[in-house]
Amino acid sequence: MRKFACPSCGADVTFQSAQSVYAVCAYCQSMVVRTDVDVRSIGVMAALPEDMSPLQLGSGGYFEDKPFTLIGRLKIGWRDGLWNEWHLLMADGRRGWIGEAQGSFSISFELQGVLPRDIEVTLNHCHASLTQGTPAAEARPGFAIQLRGTTLRAVDIKLATCLGSEGELPFAAPKGRRTVAIDCIGKEGEFATLDHDGREVHAYVGRYLEWDAFHFTNLRPLEGW
Amino acid sequence: MEEPTQPSTEPAPPPRAPGRPRTFPCPNCGGPITLRAVGQSITATCSQCSSMIDVADENLNIIQTAQSAIQDAAIAIGARARLAEIEWEVVGYMRRSDGPGDFRWTEYLLFNPYHGYRFLTEEYDHWTLVKMLNRDVPGAGDTGWVTAMGRTYQFFGKGVARTTYVAGEFFWRASTSDVTAAVDYIAPPYRLMVEMTNEEIIVSEGEYLDARLVADAFKLPLRVPSSFNAGVSQVNPYQPSFAVIVAAVVAGTLLQFASLAMSENSLVNAQAYNLTVADKGKTLFSGPFSLAKEGNVEIETTSYLSNDWLELDMALVNMDTNQGYPVFQALEHYSGQDSDGNWEEGSYEKTTLLPPVPAGTYQLLIEPDAGLFSKPPSVAQRVAISVRHGVPVWSNYLIAMALLLVVPAFGLVRRSMFEKSRWEKGGVAD
C-alpha cells in the first residue's frame, strides 16, 4: 500500500493495490494517475450518478472463504442501462471485479497471459463497434467460447461508456472511456466478460453468485430497507 | 474473519450518503415521480399522466407522452410483500399479450436492492414468481424437452410477447413497442421462459404460487382461480387415489365370494300345480318345508302359457308364527305371425326374490287367477313353482362395484379437464 498526496488538494490518496495506477481523490474528486515515482492529476471526475447500491468503497466480502475489500468503482452506462463494476482487492493481493447489474452480482478475475485465439478474433470484430458506434454484425449473441475447459455462451454485446469512477482502479477511467463488452455465461452460472477498449483486449472470468454467498459487510445504509 | 490490510488511519473520507429513493417532477405534467431503484431504472412513468421518462439521462427526456388511459393493476406500485423469504417492493408493472392478442397477462417488477429483481406474473388469476437465470441453458428456444436447474422441462408453446402498457420504473428500456420472441417450457410447478431479441437471450425460471399465498403476502384480496381454470405451470391437483378404491374393490369381492361360499342355495320345495277352471277362487297350498336358518327366499314360477296369462297372488307363511310374506307374480306369453314374420311377447317364467326371513317351517299359499278360468274345464295349465332358500345375491355387489369405480373415473375426468385447460392457454401455438 502506498500513500501519496493529492496534487490538487494535498489530501491522502491511498493505493492499496500495487497494480492500481489510477485513483479518484475522495476529497476533491481529482483523477490521480500514478507513475513509478509520483502522481499527477489528469482532471476532475464528475459526480457519479446516484444509485441504490448497497455496496460502497470499503465494503468487505468473501469469495471461496477468502475475504476481500472493495477499493474502487466504475459506473458504466450503455444505451439501455447502467451498472457498477467494483474493483476488489483480495487478502492475498489478487485483484478482481464484482459486477452489479440488473440486480445480479458476478465476481470475476482477469485472465492473465495470452488470450485464446477465438476470443482475440471475436474481440477484433468488435473493434469496429468502437470506431463506428454500431454493434458488430459478425458478433451476435449465441456463439460459444471455450475458456479453461468450460463452454460459455455469449448472451449480450454492449457498447459501454464509463460514466464515472471512484476509488482506485488498474487503468485510467475518465468519463467517456468506451469499451465493447461481451458477456458470456455457462451452464452452472460460470461467467466471463470480454472487453475491448480500442487498444487492448481483456478477458475476465468468474461466476454469478447470489447476494447471500458473498457475506458482505460494511454495507451502505439504504433508506427503507 | 480477518480484515485485509487496514486502510490509512487518517480521517476517513466523507462517507457516501445512504441510498434513498429519488423524487422529481414529471417533465410533462409536473406531477411527482418517485424512483425507487435509483441507478438501475432507466425508464419510469408518471403516475399522473402516464408519460414515459428516460431516467438514465440527467435531462429526463420524455420518451412517450401520455400513453393511452391509465390502467391500474391489482397490486399497486410501492406495495411490499415477502415472497420466497425475501422482501420485495413492486416498482413497475406491464400489461403484455401474445402476437394476436388472444392471451393477456400482467408482469409486476419486484425489486430488492440486495437480491435484485424478480417478476411476478399474473395470467388469468394464476401467479408465477419468475427469476432471471444467469446460466446458459443449452437447447433453450428449441421445441422438445429442455433440461435446466436439474429439471426436465416439456415444451409448452412459442410465440411473440408484446407489451401493451407500462407503469412504474424498469431496468431496461421498457416500452409499448417491446416485442420479443418467447418460448415456454413447463415442469409443474416450474416454468422455463426464454425471450430472445437481436441483442440478448434471457432465460428465466418461474415457480407457480397459490393465489391465496400471494394475497396474504401483499395483504390484498386477490381472485382465486376456479378449480377448472388451470394455470400453465400449476400442478394438477386431481390425482385419483386408486389405493383406497382398489382396496375397497378387493374387500368387496372377497366378501361376495365368502357370502357365495356360505350361502345355502338349497331347493326347499318344488311343486307343480295343474290349474283348471275348478280352481277359480280357491287357495292352493304347497307342502310344508323347513328353512334351517335365516335367509332369503327365491320363488321361481314356470308355466308354458300359450297366448294366455296367469297371475299368482301368493304368501309365504311361517307356520310357527303365522307371519305372511306376500309375493305377486304375473306371467304371460303371446305369439303369432304378422307381415314381418313370427312375433313373441312375454315369458314362460318369473323369479321373485324375498328378503331374508327367519328360520322355521313354511308353506306357500297361492291364489291364482288365469285366463284359463274363462275356458272349458277340459283345459288345464301346469304351473311349476320352486322355492329356493339362501340364494347368492349379485345385485348388491355389482351396484357397489359400479359406485366404487365412479369415484376414480370422476377423478380421471377432472384430471384430464384440468390438463385441457392448461394447454388451452397457449400450448403448442404459434
Side-chain angles (χ1 to χ4, degrees):
Chain A
M1 171 160 79
R2 294 213 46 194
K3 256 194 287 187
F4 297 89
C6 170
S8 285
C9 70
D12 271 344
V13 175
T14 311
F15 286 85
Q16 295 185 58
S17 163
Q19 274 77 40
S20 297
V21 300
Y22 162 96
V24 176
C25 174
Y27 294 91
C28 72
Q29 275 71 51
S30 274
M31 294 187 286
V32 174
V33 166
R34 182 172 91 162
T35 64
D36 283 340
V37 218
D38 61 3
V39 294
R40 57 188 177 85
S41 168
I42 58 169
V44 179
M45 171 55 67
L48 284 169
E50 265 308 319
D51 64 27
M52 276 290 264
S53 173
L55 300 175
Q56 59 185 352
L57 294 186
S59 291
Y62 284 83
F63 177 61
E64 290 176 344
D65 295 326
K66 299 195 191 73
F68 61 79
T69 313
L70 301 183
I71 58 175
R73 168 164 75 116
L74 278 167
K75 184 95 186 168
I76 315 239
W78 68 296
R79 189 197 68 216
D80 287 346
L82 310 104
W83 78 91
N84 287 322
E85 290 282 351
W86 297 93
H87 185 214
L88 65 87
L89 181 65
M90 306 233 21
D92 59 15
R94 265 194 307 162
R95 292 169 307 110
W97 295 90
I98 294 223
E100 179 189 10
Q102 299 186 351
S104 296
F105 291 89
S106 61
I107 185 165
S108 58
F109 298 88
E110 187 169 355
L111 199 61
Q112 305 292 340
V114 179
L115 290 181
R117 197 172 175 281
D118 56 348
I119 294 180
E120 282 257 26
V121 169
T122 305
L123 287 169
N124 286 334
H125 278 147
C126 298
H127 188 242
S129 307
L130 285 168
T131 46
Q132 288 148 28
T134 53
E138 301 90 346
R140 284 171 142 241
F143 61 87
I145 60 166
Q146 290 288 331
L147 271 175
R148 292 204 200 136
T150 318
T151 307
L152 299 171
R153 185 174 312 275
V155 289
D156 65 58
I157 300 174
K158 296 183 178 73
L159 188 60
T161 311
C162 174
L163 300 177
S165 53
E166 63 172 347
E168 59 182 273
L169 295 163
F171 45 75
K175 188 166 170 176
R177 173 177 180 269
R178 284 154 47 100
T179 56
V180 172
I182 304 174
D183 280 348
C184 310
I185 52 173
K187 286 200 309 229
E188 307 294 325
E190 304 98 323
F191 165 75
T193 190
L194 313 176
D195 247 35
H196 197 313
D197 69 357
R199 293 177 306 129
E200 295 173 352
V201 298
H202 298 272
Y204 303 87
V205 179
R207 61 175 305 105
Y208 277 103
L209 285 174
E210 295 295 320
W211 170 264
D212 293 327
F214 288 104
H215 303 290
F216 283 117
T217 56
N218 192 19
L219 291 169
R220 176 179 171 229
L222 299 173
E223 194 181 276
W225 289 98
Chain B
M1 267 200 1
E2 257 178 72
E3 291 274 79
T5 46
Q6 289 296 319
S8 151
T9 51
E10 300 285 331
R16 202 171 160 209
R20 57 166 54 94
R22 188 179 150 217
T23 310
F24 58 90
C26 170
N28 186 53
C29 73
I33 300 181
T34 304
L35 261 191
R36 298 157 202 279
V38 185
Q40 298 207 69
S41 296
I42 59 168
T43 58
T45 65
C46 172
S47 57
Q48 316 248 46
C49 69
S50 79
S51 294
M52 205 180 314
I53 314 298
D54 179 344
V55 295
D57 190 286
E58 286 300 314
N59 295 325
L60 298 175
N61 295 320
I62 301 173
I63 301 170
Q64 183 185 348
T65 319
Q67 304 171 66
S68 60
I70 291 187
Q71 295 182 31
D72 285 330
I75 305 176
I77 290 172
R80 289 209 182 182
R82 197 166 180 83
L83 294 170
E85 290 165 30
I86 298 170
E87 187 179 355
W88 300 100
E89 183 169 276
V90 174
V91 296
Y93 59 84
M94 306 177 281
R95 295 233 186 269
R96 308 196 79 195
S97 84
D98 70 336
D102 296 326
F103 296 102
R104 293 168 194 279
W105 66 97
T106 306
E107 294 185 20
Y108 294 90
L109 183 60
L110 305 181
F111 172 67
N112 174 298
Y114 309 100
H115 291 95
Y117 290 98
R118 298 285 186 275
F119 289 92
L120 185 64
T121 66
E122 182 262 308
E123 183 182 28
Y124 305 109
D125 300 327
H126 292 279
W127 298 87
T128 309
L129 186 64
V130 179
K131 182 174 185 221
M132 292 179 292
L133 294 180
N134 290 315
R135 319 192 151 211
D136 178 34
V137 176
D142 302 337
T143 57
W145 297 73
V146 169
T147 305
M149 309 296 281
R151 285 183 267 275
T152 310
Y153 286 89
Q154 181 183 15
F155 174 78
F156 180 77
K158 67 177 184 164
V160 151
R162 291 189 299 123
T163 303
T164 57
Y165 181 81
V166 299
E169 56 190 273
F170 303 91
F171 58 82
W172 72 98
R173 214 166 282 281
S175 80
T176 49
S177 51
D178 266 355
V179 177
T180 55
V183 186
D184 277 302
Y185 306 82
I186 57 170
Y190 298 100
R191 183 170 180 177
L192 195 72
M193 294 114 107
V194 181
E195 284 200 39
M196 296 172 279
T197 64
N198 283 338
E199 284 149 356
E200 52 188 347
I201 302 162
I202 303 169
V203 182
S204 313
E205 184 182 64
E207 185 176 354
Y208 186 85
L209 295 182
D210 191 289
R212 282 167 287 238
L213 190 146
V214 178
D216 281 343
F218 282 100
K219 300 186 181 27
L220 285 173
L222 296 173
R223 278 198 304 260
V224 176
S226 78
S227 49
F228 294 109
N229 172 6
V232 169
S233 58
Q234 186 181 10
V235 174
N236 195 326
Y238 301 111
Q239 305 274 16
S241 81
F242 285 107
V244 172
I245 305 293
V246 167
V249 165
V250 167
T253 307
L254 288 177
L255 258 171
Q256 176 67 3
F257 281 113
S259 87
L260 290 181
M262 291 193 317
S263 65
E264 285 264 350
N265 202 9
S266 57
L267 183 67
V268 291
N269 182 258
Q271 281 177 240
Y273 307 84
N274 242 355
L275 290 182
T276 65
V277 66
D279 293 313
K280 180 172 176 176
K282 284 204 206 152
T283 302
L284 307 174
F285 295 84
S286 75
F289 51 88
S290 146
L291 301 181
K293 58 183 185 185
E294 185 175 340
N296 61 23
V297 172
E298 184 185 79
I299 297 173
E300 188 187 344
T301 304
T302 310
S303 183
Y304 293 100
L305 297 161
S306 174
N307 283 323
D308 211 345
W309 60 273
L310 176 66
E311 276 179 11
L312 299 173
D313 199 353
M314 301 186 277
L316 179 71
V317 178
N318 185 323
M319 294 170 81
D320 308 319
T321 65
N322 255 339
Q323 175 79 40
Y325 304 93
V327 185
F328 181 82
Q329 288 184 335
L331 278 86
E332 60 182 25
H333 193 274
Y334 299 95
S335 59
Q337 273 193 332
D338 65 9
S339 54
D340 292 325
N342 292 337
W343 60 268
E344 196 178 320
E345 206 180 277
S347 167
Y348 291 133
E349 68 181 329
K350 187 95 172 140
T351 305
T352 308
L353 181 69
L354 285 170
V357 298
T361 312
Y362 285 82
Q363 197 175 32
L364 196 62
L365 270 61
I366 306 152
E367 282 173 28
D369 195 5
L372 87 88
F373 287 169
S374 41
K375 297 212 175 104
S378 56
V379 181
Q381 183 68 39
R382 186 169 184 276
V383 180
I385 302 180
S386 308
V387 181
R388 283 189 176 76
H389 174 53
V391 299
V393 176
W394 281 94
S395 58
N396 288 348
Y397 170 73
L398 292 171
I399 291 170
M401 289 297 114
L403 287 174
L404 281 173
L405 291 172
V406 158
V407 173
F410 193 55
L412 278 169
V413 166
R414 284 171 72 161
R415 187 177 174 79
S416 78
M417 277 176 62
F418 186 94
E419 287 300 317
K420 182 165 177 284
S421 171
R422 181 209 303 287
W423 286 89
E424 271 169 357
K425 294 192 170 69
V428 204
D430 201 54

